[in-house]
Each structure stands twice: as C-alpha cells, then as structure tokens.
C-alpha cells in the first residue's frame, strides 16, 4: 500500500480543466504545509520540459507536470510523468520512459510490445513519489470512461488501481451537456472506480450559479456524488499541455488580441502552424505582452501582414520542412524583411542544409536544403540531447541590446555547426557547434523557453516595434519576470479559483492552515 494519499483528477473529456485543477490543488496543499507531488502516469504531448530523472540524469516530462511541480514547490523529476508519448506523424510516437527516449512505435506496437514496460515504470515511479511525499495529485488523460480503452488506460483506470486513489471528476460546462457528461461518465466507469469518486467539479462557468442548482440537486440525488464546486471561467495563464488549444492545421487564429491595445498600435508575430509542431508553449509569453498578437497561420498564408516571424519547434523537422516547401513558404520567408527567430527545429529549418536526414524522417533521406537564412548546417544523429540549461546571452540580431543570464532547456536531435560567418548569441558555445547563430535580422537557437526570460522577450518585442516604427505599449502587470515567476503567479491564480469556489475540506488530504501563502 502506498504511504501517500493519492487523488486522481479525472475528466469527462479532454481539455476540461484537469491540468488547472491539479496545479491549483498542488499550490493549495503546498501553501498549507503539505508535502505534495504531481503525477501523470502516461501523457501524450509534444510540449515537454527537461528535468532530472530518478538517477540524477536529465530527462523529459510533459509540461503540465513540470508546471504542477512548480505549483507544489518541489523539484520536477521524471517520476512525475514516467510515460510520455510524443507524436511525430504517420501514426507513430516517440516513447519516453522515465525521461529517456526509447524509440518510435505505432500505437499497435506500443500496446502489444511495450505497454507492460510502461505499466511497470508507472508503478515504480508512483511508489517512489509515495515514499517521499505526504500527498500526490495525479492527473488523468482525456476521459476516464472510454470502454474501448479500459483494459489499457494507464493514465486513468490503471492509475486509480495501482495508486489506490480517490477520484475527483472534472467537467467543462462550456461544452454544453455538463450533467449528461457527468452521469454518462459515471455510468461507463468500471464499478470499482465508480466507488472511488469523492466528488465532481464543474469548470468554465459563466453566469449566475443559482441557475445550476436544479441540475446539481438532480445529479446528486441520481448519483449520490456531491458537486464540490463550480469554477468560473477565468484562465489563470498556465502553459498549455498540448496543441488542443491551437487552431487546426489550415486555420488562422490570433492570440493576445484581448489586451485592450488597438490593433493599429499592435504588432503581429506570425507563427506557421507546422503539422508536427512541438513546445508551442515557447510562444505564450509573447502573446501575453500588450500590443503583441501571435498569429498561428496556415502554411500557405502570406506574411504580408506580419511584423515578425517565429518558427517553432517540431517533432519532425525534415517532414515539416517539406510541408513548408510544398506550401511555397520558402519564397515568403525569403521576401520577408522583418525580425525572424527560429527555435530548436525552427533553428534547423533556417539553416543551409540538414544531413543524415533519414534518422528523423519516415523516408530514407540523406540531405535536404534548408531556407538558407542562417549559415549553419545540421547533422542528425540518433542520440537526443535533453538538458536544462543556463546561458549568458549577448544581444545580437533580433535580440540586439539584450545582456544577461537566461534559462531554458534543450530537447533535440542533431548537431548544428557554423558553415559561414555569423554572430553568436551565446558566446560560451563551442566554436563550431553553437547553440545559436544570428545575422542582423535573423536568429536561431536551441534554447526552448527563450521568451520566458524577460531580458530576451523585452529585446525581441522592442525590435519588432522598432522595425515598424511604432511605440511599444506598457508592459502588463505580472508579465515582467522570468518563467518561474510567471508560473508561480498562474499557480496562485489557479489555487485562488479553487479556494474560492470548491469545497476543499471534502478532499482526502491533510487539512492544515487556511490556504494562504505562508
């Protein structure tokens, strides 16, 4: 039996607010003096963070568990997300076990040949967390009531059983049919899991709560499960776990246009919506800057309305490069004369060429030509670099004027070297193997989280406004710091939502303090 009490935050569907509820609970418990840790047995996401694994080596976990560890005020480890699947297209995903990349598998191969290994890793990781902490907040995935997945549902069904959890159901009222979703979920859950449900929380509510009372009363009479809270629609600003919040490929969406700054005073940072985009949380700090619109564009879209371009990371650089070429993006980026930044895979795309390309692509390729905006060449290798990093930034190119220490992480395959003259944003890099390169208006770097650092974000935003001759609006309150400050502020907001709108005393955790920060 586990030493720590575990609560599984499970959902009626994907994107109902599980991550926010889990992060808020982690912060509330930590502020009450409870030694709490987050956990998600299996995650599927290309938004990842580099952390320490159980043996002290570096590894990667889903971004939500990194955020929840920050909320819990404990170091993030690979035990918090022992199984991570990173889709790369064509029905395959890279399997990450306890922070370490194993190989790429189809869904059938994973469930037939590797699921028992994943289950064992999940058991071992939970046991270590339970031995080291008083409480665990586990997050489920998607819906907990999927009959077709019941026998291999590691994140929900198996987590509830292996960790002997209580279950808190989360349902999103904005989708409509919230009570039907809750009742249907309970009806379809395995009987032993149904008995573990301690309550439900309704999220994303707008309006007068009293209007819900008849539905709440009938639901509680029918199921004998209490509704512990109704949380109003109020996004605390936590990084997104996956790409569900992004527009589908082929559609355009703009983030950051609700800041009160008139469009004629704003600037637009264009981000091509790569089919295999990863670590899109890199763009979220820019969208929170007043007057900055982050526009996710179809690959075939024109850059005529863009003031800057950021090429994001990608789980498959070569295939996304080919998709961009088919959409004639090369001509668009070559004609664009504003600031350009490439992050990780985007850095590789901006170079002259990529060799040994077959290591990453699903096709047998040797070399492919990049967009040629930076004098660098990348050679893919089977080894993967996963590492939290701190670098001394020297402001060059689109980051001109930036000086100071920046933190982030690297998760990439391949080594990139200079093949011509370029400025180096990180002077401490090896002479021929830089983590970044720049010209006067183009910069590429392997550093994920670059814009989470105020010094880099400020320099880039200033450069974009200067390029179009507009005055930059004042910085938003709470957006002036680095990544840890932003996550901590968001975790506090998530905790406040739960503290004000959820009956926390009904949850099976130690009750200490009043939930205020010590």
């Amino acid at each position: 039996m586990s030493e720590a009490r575990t609560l599984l935050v499970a959902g009626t569907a994907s994107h109902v607010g599980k991550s926010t509820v889990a992060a808020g609970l982690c912060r509330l418990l930590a502020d009450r003096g409870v030694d709490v840790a987050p956990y998600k047995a299996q995650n599927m996401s290309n938004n990842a963070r580099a952390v320490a694994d159980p043996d002290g080596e570096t590894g990667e976990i889903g971004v939500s568990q990194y955020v929840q560890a920050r909320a819990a005020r404990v170091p993030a480890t690979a035990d918090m997300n022992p199984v991570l699947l990173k889709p790369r297209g064509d029905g395959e995903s890279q399997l990450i076990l306890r922070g370490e990349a194993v190989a790429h598998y189809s869904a059938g191969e994973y469930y037939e040949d590797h699921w028992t290994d994943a289950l064992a890793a999940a058991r071992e990781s939970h046991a270590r967390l339970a031995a080291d902490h008083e409480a665990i907040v586990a997050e489920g995935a998607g819906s907990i009531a999927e009959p077709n997945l019941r026998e291999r549902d590691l994140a929900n069904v198996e987590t509830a059983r292996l960790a002997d959890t209580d279950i808190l159901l989360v349902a999103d009222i904005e989708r409509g049919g919230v009570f039907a979703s809750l009742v249907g979920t309970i009806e379809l859950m395995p009987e032993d899991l149904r008995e573990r449900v301690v309550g439900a929380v309704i999220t994303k509510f707008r309006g007068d709560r009293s209007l819900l009372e008849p539905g709440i009363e009938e639901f509680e009479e029918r199921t004998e499960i209490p509704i512990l809270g109704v949380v109003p629609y109020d996004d605390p600003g936590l990084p997104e776990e996956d790409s569900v919040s992004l527009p589908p490929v082929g559609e355009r969406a703009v983030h950051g246009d609700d800041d009160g700054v008139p469009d004629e005073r704003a600037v637009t940072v264009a981000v091509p919506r790569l089919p295999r985009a990863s670590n899109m949380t890199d763009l979220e700090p820019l969208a929170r800057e007043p007057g900055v619109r982050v526009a996710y564009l179809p690959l075939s879209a024109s850059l005529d309305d863009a003031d800057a371009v950021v090429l994001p990371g990608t789980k498959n650089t070569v295939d996304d490069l080919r998709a961009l070429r088919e959409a004639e993006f090369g001509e668009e980026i070559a004609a664009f004369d504003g600031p350009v930044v490439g992050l990780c895979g985007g850095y590789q795309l901006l170079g002259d060429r990529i060799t040994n390309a077959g290591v990453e692509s699903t096709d047998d390729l040797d070399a492919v030509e990049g967009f040629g905006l930076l004098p660098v060449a990348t050679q893919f290798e089977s080894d993967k670099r996963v590492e939290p990093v701190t670098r001394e930034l020297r402001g060059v190119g689109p980051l001109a004027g930036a000086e100071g220490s920046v933190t982030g992480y690297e998760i990439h395959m391949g080594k990139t070297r200079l093949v011509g003259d370029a400025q180096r944003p990180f002077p401490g890099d090896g002479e021929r193997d830089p983590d970044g390169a720049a010209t006067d208006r183009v910069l590429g770097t392997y550093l994920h989280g670059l814009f989470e650092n105020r010094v880099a974000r400020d320099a880039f935003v200033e450069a974009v406004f200067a390029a179009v001759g507009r005055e930059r609006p004042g910085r938003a309150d709470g957006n002036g710091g680095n990544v840890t400050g932003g996550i901590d502020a968001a975790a506090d907001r998530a905790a406040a939502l739960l503290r004000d709108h959820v009956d926390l005393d009904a949850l099976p955790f130690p009750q200490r303090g009043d939930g205020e920060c010590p």
Side-chain angles (χ1 to χ4, degrees):
M1 182 71 67
S2 301
E3 298 177 21
R5 193 72 176 262
T6 300
L7 176 72
L8 174 62
V9 180
T12 58
S14 297
H15 211 57
V16 296
K18 297 186 294 292
S19 298
T20 297
V21 170
L25 287 174
C26 284
R27 177 51 56 93
L28 282 170
L29 290 168
D31 286 349
R32 290 179 172 182
V34 178
D35 184 0
V36 59
Y39 175 78
K40 186 164 186 172
Q42 178 178 298
N43 202 346
M44 177 173 280
S45 175
N46 276 326
N47 289 344
R49 289 274 181 164
V51 299
D53 74 9
D55 300 316
E57 301 295 329
T58 55
E60 54 184 309
I61 64 174
V63 66
S64 285
Q65 281 60 63
Y66 171 85
V67 169
Q68 289 158 13
R70 290 286 316 173
R73 307 187 194 279
V74 295
T77 73
D79 276 333
M80 295 172 180
N81 179 204
V83 183
L84 175 62
L85 297 170
K86 303 185 75 174
R88 72 163 186 170
D90 299 307
E92 286 192 345
S93 295
Q94 185 178 49
L95 172 62
I96 313 290
L97 282 184
R98 293 176 58 201
E100 183 176 350
V102 178
H104 290 94
Y105 301 111
S106 67
E109 290 172 327
Y110 168 64
Y111 285 113
E112 290 175 13
D113 302 327
H114 302 282
W115 190 78
T116 54
D117 294 335
L119 177 59
R123 288 183 184 277
E124 293 166 7
S125 288
H126 182 270
R128 277 190 291 269
L129 291 175
D132 292 339
H133 301 277
E134 288 182 275
I136 296 174
V137 176
E139 181 186 350
S143 168
I144 193 173
E146 300 286 357
N148 54 309
L149 300 177
R150 187 174 295 159
E151 301 305 317
R152 55 189 184 186
D153 187 353
L154 185 51
N156 295 302
V157 176
E158 293 298 335
T159 292
R161 291 169 176 165
L162 71 87
D164 191 23
T165 74
D166 298 287
I167 297 174
L168 177 67
L169 283 180
V170 179
D172 173 4
I173 197 170
E174 191 178 43
R175 297 165 178 255
V178 67
F179 294 112
S181 296
L182 282 166
V183 171
T185 295
I186 293 164
E187 288 293 324
L188 290 174
M189 289 172 64
E191 185 174 351
D192 62 313
L193 268 63
R194 200 179 309 146
E195 296 170 354
R196 299 173 182 268
V197 178
V198 296
V201 170
I202 295 172
T203 62
K204 306 180 186 179
F205 178 69
R206 307 171 194 255
D208 183 354
R209 187 188 187 283
S210 65
L211 297 177
L212 289 182
E213 290 304 326
I216 290 174
E217 291 177 6
E218 181 171 339
F219 169 81
E220 291 180 340
E221 290 176 3
R222 178 186 292 268
T223 66
E224 299 183 347
I225 293 172
I227 298 291
L228 300 182
V230 177
V231 179
Y233 191 100
D234 186 2
D235 182 5
L238 294 166
E240 294 289 348
E241 180 179 40
D242 51 39
S243 61
V244 171
S245 63
L246 295 178
V249 175
E251 295 184 12
R252 184 182 190 275
V254 179
H255 291 181
D257 56 355
D258 56 354
D259 56 8
V261 177
D263 286 345
E264 61 269 19
R265 294 182 54 205
V267 293
T268 298
V269 178
V271 181
R273 178 63 162 92
L274 303 179
R276 301 159 186 84
S278 67
N279 293 84
M280 296 296 278
T281 51
D282 283 338
L283 285 305
E284 292 178 15
L286 291 178
R288 292 196 293 269
E289 285 290 329
V292 176
R293 313 288 189 250
V294 176
Y296 297 94
L297 303 180
L299 300 192
S300 59
S302 168
L303 297 178
D304 289 347
D305 296 330
D307 301 307
V309 175
V310 175
L311 291 177
T314 165
K315 189 64 186 69
N316 193 319
T317 305
V318 175
D319 286 353
D320 276 351
L321 173 60
R322 292 193 293 186
L324 287 167
R325 287 219 179 277
E326 290 173 4
E328 299 183 350
F329 180 80
E331 290 80 356
E332 286 287 329
I333 195 70
F336 184 73
D337 61 0
V340 177
V341 171
L343 301 173
C344 196
Y347 173 30
Q348 296 170 341
L349 290 171
L350 291 173
D352 285 346
R353 63 184 178 276
I354 298 171
T355 59
N356 204 20
V359 169
E360 186 187 64
S361 175
T362 53
D363 293 336
D364 185 15
L365 296 173
D366 180 20
V368 293
E369 298 299 313
F371 292 122
L373 298 187
L374 289 173
V376 298
T378 299
Q379 179 172 322
F380 279 127
E381 300 174 347
S382 57
D383 292 339
K384 188 176 188 180
R385 181 171 181 174
V386 180
E387 182 182 9
V389 296
T390 298
R391 296 279 187 266
E392 289 301 315
L393 175 63
R394 179 177 63 191
V396 295
L399 301 185
E403 300 286 341
S405 179
V406 293
T407 61
Y409 56 101
E410 293 187 21
I411 302 178
H412 65 90
M413 297 175 67
K415 291 185 177 180
T416 299
R417 61 186 179 87
L418 293 173
V419 293
D421 293 332
Q423 305 170 71
R424 292 166 57 198
F426 308 113
D429 291 341
E431 183 176 351
R432 305 298 295 177
D433 184 20
D435 283 344
T439 64
D440 288 343
R441 68 174 187 88
V442 181
L443 181 142
T445 176
Y446 277 123
L447 185 68
H448 286 295
L450 175 70
F451 295 126
E452 292 170 342
N453 296 273
R454 174 175 172 174
V455 63
R457 186 174 68 246
D458 271 356
F460 179 70
V461 173
E462 291 284 357
V464 180
F465 275 95
V468 297
R470 294 176 198 157
E471 183 179 353
R472 179 185 178 186
R475 183 183 298 116
D477 291 342
N479 194 37
N482 290 343
V483 55
T484 54
I487 290 176
D488 282 338
D492 285 339
R493 289 192 289 271
L497 282 171
L498 300 190
R499 185 176 59 242
D500 295 343
H501 300 283
V502 177
D503 179 9
L504 300 170
D505 291 339
L507 300 179
F509 287 128
Q511 302 295 326
R512 302 177 193 155
D514 59 4
E516 299 294 338
C517 294

